[in-house]
Amino acid sequence: MKSFEGFENLKKYYKKYIRVEVEDGKIYEGVYDYYTKPGDNDPEIESIDLTKGTRTYIIDTPTIVNIEIIKNTY
């Protein structure tokens, strides 16, 4: 398991404003406010939701290469 997969590895980022870099080089910023476990997704890949203003980004956790905490609270 990669270090950015599984809720146990991701819970330290929950409800924090973070910057996420994915495999294709894209960078997303927002508040990590939702975790979806593999069995609840179709296809069965876990994901996290980042919210920034009115936008929500859904990121498949296997594609994450780095997470940085920008602010501890939002």
Side-chain angles (χ1 to χ4, degrees):
M1 177 183 289
K2 293 167 117 179
S3 62
F4 299 116
E5 291 181 26
F7 186 70
E8 285 301 311
N9 293 323
L10 294 166
K11 69 181 178 183
K12 64 183 166 191
Y13 303 107
Y14 187 66
K15 294 295 183 185
K16 295 185 174 140
Y17 190 87
I18 60 175
R19 177 179 294 135
V20 177
E21 181 181 356
V22 294
E23 290 174 342
D24 65 3
K26 290 181 182 172
I27 295 176
Y28 301 92
E29 285 188 11
V31 175
Y32 164 33
D33 57 4
Y34 198 78
Y35 170 81
T36 304
K37 61 185 178 185
D40 292 341
N41 263 350
D42 186 21
E44 292 191 4
I45 299 171
E46 72 176 355
S47 64
I48 62 171
D49 292 8
L50 295 183
T51 302
K52 184 175 185 180
T54 59
R55 289 194 163 170
T56 298
Y57 303 101
I58 299 171
I59 302 168
D60 293 338
T61 59
T63 67
I64 297 173
V65 294
N66 191 40
I67 298 177
E68 178 184 353
I69 297 172
I70 305 299
K71 290 192 313 188
N72 279 320
T73 57
Y74 62 98

